[in-house]
Amino acid sequence: MTALTLSTAGAATLRADALVVGVAKGPKGPVVAPGAEAVDTAFDGRLAAVLDALGASGSEGETTKLPAPAGLKVPVVLAVGLGPAPEQDESFDEEALRRAAGAAARALHGSKKAAFALPLEDASAVTAVAEGALLGAYAFTTYQGGEKKASAAAKNGGPKRPLAEVVLLGGKPRDKEHKAAVERAAVVASEVNTARDLINTPPNDLTPAAFAAVATATGKEHGLKVQVLDEKALLKGGYGGIMGVGKGSENPPRLVKIAYTHPEAEKHLAFVGKGITYDSGGISLKPAGHNETMKCDMSGAAAVFAAVVAVARLGLPVNVTGWLALAENMPSGSATRPGDVLRMYSGKTVEVLNTDAEGRLVLGDALTKASEENPDAIVDVATLTGAMVLALGNRTFGIMANDDAFRTSIHEIAEEVGEASWPMPLPADLRKGMDSPTADIANMGERMGGGLVAGLFLQEFVGEGITWAHLDIAGPAFHEGAPYGYTPKGGTGSAVRTLVRLAERTATGDLG
Ligand code: BES
Ligand code: MN
Ligand code: ZN
């Protein structure tokens, strides 16, 4: 990943391939943001006027490349829009900084080293800019370039490499808080990028067993305890939900437990992730046009895995157990049929009316298993329903919970880290739509409010008295539009930052 350091060097003295400055949108045109004073001086105080003349306004996401004037040790100045200038005495919004840093890093794909002279008023601004730069400097190029890779690819307009080195100017490298802010940002961003890599890896390579192998290897590296249940163990253990979904595939399912413990921990969190490495729909096959991006259906498990590793790397004093419910949902002669009844790990029976409602089946088993350890709270993360995408769009995840205060806390935490989310209800009246004449419950209910129906289904598998929240990230998990801010095309790493922040807050006993 991109290397990031804090430097006391002046903007006019540092050698780099580009120098990034911030520009805000003022009432009368672009305004140069704090941090760029020396750069403005090199432009004879005319940087805002130059940008204005070029049509730049300082709006969010706008990037303008300028040839650097004499007096700077860089060939290029990149002005990045921060959006509306803050009121007097107010500082820039953290998310505005994160997005601007991300947009700048993206605009500099192909360059080696860039210095960022963005406003760094305090440690949280340092975290935001560092995270934004590291998340924006992401590219998934594993499958590009072919034989000619490194040498010819770059010349032929092949994949450009992301920025190799970012230097943040204007921070305080010797200040404890600033140092910690950069270290935290580096860990969080690298784990968000790990989640993105897993999501982007095509499903022929990222099978349940392959994902489990990654978890085992990475877990070892960071001193985590990893246990993998393979298909034999799952069958023997009575995991009817995970087996029922996975049995149509040549690539058998796995349940992975990845546990981090800290000697001073007072609380225990369990994170549960939906890990469908490919969702074809099964016998209730998805029509063409609905399955091209379904490698993203393990985004919940990727987020959980990445968050547990981040918590371990940060050494937080809280115990966190991740559960990855991994299966491939495929149609075949051995696949579960619509009409089959599965016996879940909890003992409950489920009539499968639609094999495409598979996420709740694998999660049901994992939620029951996670509940056995009686954690202080369980949070599951899943690309669970198209209905949630219809309700909240492509950038916002829904939060459901069996505890209003916990749901509110998660909503606030997500907001704090710059992840869009919205609280959703679990209306009890939707439960009867899942009544089955044959089994204890059906895996489908009313079409209206389908995201909430799925949440109600999951709730039945959460242990008595355990605080639980469900994040439906079907919208934001995978980005199909043009990149923006620090969000690339493809896997986004949605929910990783929220889970890490939840662990931090739980560790400090500072949970709303
Ligand atoms: N993985 C899908 C949900 C999804 C949709 C994720 C769009 C990402 C983007 C899930 O397994 C699914 O197929 N859900 C069905 C449930 C229905 C059959 C009750 C859906 O939402 O249509
Ligand atoms: Mn499905
Ligand atoms: Zn699915």
Side-chain angles (χ1 to χ4, degrees), residues 274 279 281 286 297 329 356-358:
K274 170 176 172 181
D279 182 12
K286 285 181 189 294
D297 215 19
N329 189 22
D356 198 12
E358 83 297 339

Short mmCIF file of all heavy atoms in Angstrom, two decimals, residues 274 279 281 286 297 329 356-358, ligand 2:
data_model
loop_
_atom_site.label_atom_id
_atom_site.label_comp_id
_atom_site.label_asym_id
_atom_site.label_seq_id
_atom_site.Cartn_x
_atom_site.Cartn_y
_atom_site.Cartn_z
N LYS A 274 -22.06 -11.97 6.14
CA LYS A 274 -22.58 -12.78 5.04
C LYS A 274 -21.47 -12.94 4.02
O LYS A 274 -20.96 -11.96 3.47
CB LYS A 274 -23.81 -12.12 4.40
CG LYS A 274 -24.26 -12.79 3.09
CD LYS A 274 -25.53 -12.18 2.51
CE LYS A 274 -25.84 -12.74 1.12
NZ LYS A 274 -27.05 -12.16 0.51
N ASP A 279 -23.45 -15.27 -5.72
CA ASP A 279 -24.88 -15.51 -5.56
C ASP A 279 -25.55 -15.56 -6.93
O ASP A 279 -25.90 -14.54 -7.51
CB ASP A 279 -25.50 -14.40 -4.70
CG ASP A 279 -27.00 -14.63 -4.45
OD1 ASP A 279 -27.47 -15.76 -4.75
OD2 ASP A 279 -27.67 -13.71 -3.95
N GLY A 281 -28.33 -17.05 -7.23
CA GLY A 281 -29.75 -17.21 -6.90
C GLY A 281 -30.09 -18.66 -6.60
O GLY A 281 -31.11 -18.95 -5.99
N LYS A 286 -31.18 -16.11 -10.64
CA LYS A 286 -31.33 -14.69 -10.99
C LYS A 286 -31.32 -14.55 -12.50
O LYS A 286 -30.56 -15.23 -13.18
CB LYS A 286 -30.16 -13.88 -10.42
CG LYS A 286 -30.20 -13.63 -8.93
CD LYS A 286 -29.01 -12.80 -8.49
CE LYS A 286 -28.91 -12.71 -6.99
NZ LYS A 286 -30.00 -11.96 -6.35
N ASP A 297 -21.27 -10.48 -3.06
CA ASP A 297 -22.19 -10.93 -2.02
C ASP A 297 -21.48 -11.46 -0.77
O ASP A 297 -22.11 -11.94 0.16
CB ASP A 297 -23.16 -11.97 -2.59
CG ASP A 297 -24.55 -11.87 -2.00
OD1 ASP A 297 -24.88 -10.82 -1.44
OD2 ASP A 297 -25.29 -12.86 -2.10
N ASN A 329 -23.71 -19.86 -3.72
CA ASN A 329 -25.11 -20.20 -4.01
C ASN A 329 -25.26 -20.53 -5.50
O ASN A 329 -25.30 -19.64 -6.34
CB ASN A 329 -26.00 -19.01 -3.63
CG ASN A 329 -27.49 -19.33 -3.68
OD1 ASN A 329 -27.87 -20.50 -3.61
ND2 ASN A 329 -28.31 -18.31 -3.80
N ASP A 356 -32.96 -17.81 -3.61
CA ASP A 356 -32.19 -16.57 -3.72
C ASP A 356 -32.20 -15.77 -2.41
O ASP A 356 -31.47 -14.81 -2.27
CB ASP A 356 -32.73 -15.72 -4.89
CG ASP A 356 -31.76 -14.66 -5.35
OD1 ASP A 356 -30.59 -14.72 -4.93
OD2 ASP A 356 -32.17 -13.79 -6.14
N ALA A 357 -33.04 -16.17 -1.47
CA ALA A 357 -33.01 -15.54 -0.15
C ALA A 357 -32.10 -16.39 0.73
O ALA A 357 -32.52 -17.00 1.72
CB ALA A 357 -34.41 -15.42 0.43
N GLU A 358 -30.82 -16.50 0.30
CA GLU A 358 -29.87 -17.42 0.93
C GLU A 358 -29.06 -16.79 2.05
O GLU A 358 -28.58 -17.49 2.95
CB GLU A 358 -28.89 -17.96 -0.14
CG GLU A 358 -27.70 -17.07 -0.49
CD GLU A 358 -28.07 -15.73 -1.10
OE1 GLU A 358 -29.19 -15.61 -1.64
OE2 GLU A 358 -27.25 -14.80 -1.04
MN MN B 2 -29.65 -14.10 -3.23
#
